[in-house]
Amino acid sequence: MAGHRQALTAMQAGLAACHVCGKLQSCRADHHCVRCGSRLYQRKPFSVQRSWAFLITALILYVPANLYPIMNTTSLGVKDENTIIGGVILLWSMKSYPVAVIIFTASIVIPLLKFLVISLLLFSIWKGHSGKLNQQTRLFRIIEYIGPWSMIDVFVVILLVALIQFGGIATVLPGSAAMAFAGMVITTMLSAISFDTRLLWDNE
Amino acid sequence: MLEHNLPIDDLVACHSCDLLHEKTALGTGEKAWCSRCGSLLYRTNNNAIEISLALTIASLLLFLFAQLLPFLSIDVDGNKTTIYLISTIDTLSQLDNVLLGIAGALFLVIIPLGVLLLDLLLLSALYSNKRPLTLFARQLLLLIGRLAPWNMLEIFLLGVLVTIVKLASIAEISLHQGFWAFVALVMINLFVSTTLEPEELWQAIDKH
């Protein structure tokens, strides 16, 4: 364990850890990192605003991503449109329980969880709450890690489209929800990247 | 502004909560955690660069195998087709949906291959101890850091597995060398990302 004698943050000491490479250094305005040359900030610039902007964009994209079909299948002349939740229900009815659970978690639960956690943390920064900061930080790290896993369904669509074209008997085409969904995952990831957990601790 | 009485190089700030800590020397494989919020501060690993370089070369070969060897074949009522990973991009580009083709090319080929090549350049430069590399190495490491969150090979592997299960009800699926190369690639990637700390690379660049 690295010891800390006085409880002092880098900002209070007039220092800044570079956001890109982590190098600790004294911080002046308009300064660039001595090690990697990136612009030096004590906190990510416009972190709260950027996080909100990306999160709201993601929330808007979440609607068409779930309402429109993520893929259109044609099998022996019969057309079928599959939404994300429709695909989950189909998998469940075909007794593919583990896969149904994976898709449900990745496509429905994780995005909702991300919306919930990031907006709660942003509210917490705004209101100046300082309770349970350990849990809040850990929660954010978990959300940040599991976020990209939502892309599974997009990859499945890409693969099915590519595979079934060769099959001849049936065709699969990407639906309009596929890009909305991919955009939703990308914007939630950008929201998490813009978020600065140090702002939570500044309220302590 | 409060005073701190230690030299800056002996201090480390937690990247999660910004609290300053005095650095202490760690043994191989040990980790230092933040005393306030519990996030990882830093860790050490002897010859991480050497190991990572070897694994990066292995990953590049596996990446080529995964893309160019037969990936899997599907058999619908005796109609057998064999798929190559690289041909998925080709199929997607023939559809009207240009954006999905671009997304596929980015996530399946360009970003993972780009990161591997950048890793190879950086690690081999650091390993061979060539002199005039600092500026170039810094740029490489910055770019690797920017691309890292978008490298989703392990997620794509789970997507492959889900696809196989989905198709298994209507067709016979058999897995080929390309698939297994891809599985090995993902395993090695996960191992490298837990072994190699960016801070270690920055310090290695600083030493030059």
Side-chain angles (χ1 to χ4, degrees):
Chain A
M1 262 253 174
H4 75 109
R5 270 172 248 156
Q6 334 95 303
L8 195 63
T9 66
M11 188 154 83
Q12 288 163 343
L15 306 175
C18 172
H19 285 266
V20 180
C21 75
K23 174 82 175 170
L24 189 66
Q25 53 203 292
S26 62
C27 183
R28 277 164 282 156
D30 266 346
H31 214 209
H32 289 260
C33 172
V34 292
R35 181 156 76 176
C36 75
S38 309
R39 265 296 284 278
L40 196 61
Y41 305 102
Q42 287 182 312
R43 297 293 176 261
K44 292 182 185 175
F46 302 107
S47 161
V48 173
Q49 290 93 326
R50 280 186 194 173
S51 259
W52 269 126
F54 283 125
L55 197 68
I56 292 167
T57 312
L59 204 56
I60 294 169
L61 286 170
Y62 189 69
V63 179
N66 279 290
L67 291 183
Y68 289 109
I70 194 155
M71 56 184 178
N72 303 309
T73 52
T74 313
S75 172
L76 302 168
V78 183
K79 281 189 182 171
D80 201 7
E81 297 187 330
N82 305 78
T83 56
I84 291 172
I85 194 74
V88 173
I89 293 169
L90 187 70
L91 280 167
W92 190 266
S93 67
M94 281 160 46
K95 296 193 166 47
S96 302
Y97 302 123
V99 180
V101 170
I102 289 174
I103 296 290
F104 183 74
T105 310
S107 306
I108 314 271
V109 179
I110 291 178
L112 285 177
L113 217 59
K114 273 193 100 166
F115 294 141
L116 196 72
V117 169
I118 296 181
S119 48
L120 274 176
L121 295 182
L122 285 168
F123 267 115
S124 170
I125 290 172
W126 181 49
K127 288 284 181 194
H129 290 315
S130 59
K132 294 181 181 164
L133 291 174
N134 280 298
Q135 280 100 314
Q136 291 185 14
T137 309
R138 201 166 309 137
L139 208 56
F140 178 77
R141 293 286 164 228
I142 293 169
I143 286 296
E144 192 185 27
Y145 176 77
I146 62 175
W149 287 91
S150 300
M151 278 300 246
I152 289 175
D153 225 17
V154 177
F155 290 147
V156 171
V157 170
I158 287 177
L159 278 164
L160 283 176
V161 168
L163 291 178
I164 309 290
Q165 300 302 312
F166 291 91
I169 295 161
T171 53
V172 176
L173 287 172
S176 41
M179 274 328 286
F181 192 84
M184 187 274 294
V185 179
I186 290 169
T187 42
T188 50
M189 284 175 67
L190 289 170
S191 177
I193 288 172
S194 312
F195 189 83
D196 194 340
T197 49
R198 298 174 189 85
L199 294 173
L200 292 166
W201 290 90
D202 287 343
N203 290 332
E204 198 184 37
Chain B
M1 193 190 291
L2 293 162
E3 285 294 316
H4 63 92
N5 46 16
L6 288 160
I8 288 180
D9 286 338
D10 290 347
L11 293 170
V12 56
C14 171
H15 74 288
S16 277
C17 78
D18 209 34
L19 192 71
L20 287 176
H21 296 74
E22 189 186 335
K23 275 187 202 164
T24 45
L26 297 179
T28 306
E30 282 187 332
K31 294 171 180 176
W33 307 91
C34 175
S35 59
R36 179 162 72 162
C37 75
S39 302
L40 182 68
L41 285 177
Y42 58 91
R43 56 186 165 191
T44 50
N45 222 321
N46 293 338
N47 54 39
I49 288 173
E50 212 175 310
I51 295 168
S52 303
L53 176 60
L55 290 176
T56 302
I57 295 168
S59 298
L60 269 168
L61 289 174
L62 288 169
F63 187 83
L64 288 181
F65 293 157
Q67 296 286 348
L68 303 175
L69 293 177
F71 196 73
L72 54 82
S73 47
I74 47 175
D75 188 338
V76 188
D77 302 327
N79 258 328
K80 197 169 180 177
T81 35
T82 301
I83 310 296
Y84 294 79
L85 203 51
I86 196 86
S87 60
T88 55
I89 307 298
D90 189 41
T91 317
L92 288 171
S93 68
Q94 285 163 20
L95 300 173
D96 300 332
N97 202 327
V98 184
L99 277 176
L100 200 68
I102 294 173
L106 271 178
F107 287 117
L108 303 193
V109 182
I110 298 170
I111 293 174
L113 184 61
V115 170
L116 282 175
L117 288 173
L118 293 172
D119 276 345
L120 180 70
L121 272 175
L122 177 64
L123 290 167
S124 53
L126 287 175
Y127 182 70
S128 65
N129 243 332
K130 281 201 189 98
R131 276 292 130 181
L133 95 131
T134 32
L135 187 67
F136 175 62
R138 269 157 225 246
Q139 296 303 325
L140 279 180
L141 192 45
L142 282 175
L143 197 56
I144 292 169
R146 287 207 191 279
L147 286 177
W150 309 101
N151 198 0
M152 303 190 181
L153 282 182
E154 70 275 22
I155 299 164
F156 181 69
L157 178 61
L158 194 54
V160 171
L161 297 178
V162 168
T163 307
I164 291 170
V165 174
K166 276 194 163 186
L167 284 176
S169 58
I170 55 162
E172 195 98 351
I173 310 278
S174 33
L175 305 170
H176 301 307
Q177 304 96 309
F179 173 81
W180 298 114
F182 190 76
V183 173
L185 170 66
V186 170
M187 301 286 183
I188 291 180
N189 247 334
L190 286 176
F191 180 75
V192 172
S193 62
T194 54
T195 313
L196 197 59
E197 189 81 347
E199 176 62 24
E200 207 149 347
L201 292 174
W202 283 114
Q203 281 175 11
I205 293 174
D206 273 350
K207 272 185 217 150
H208 276 271

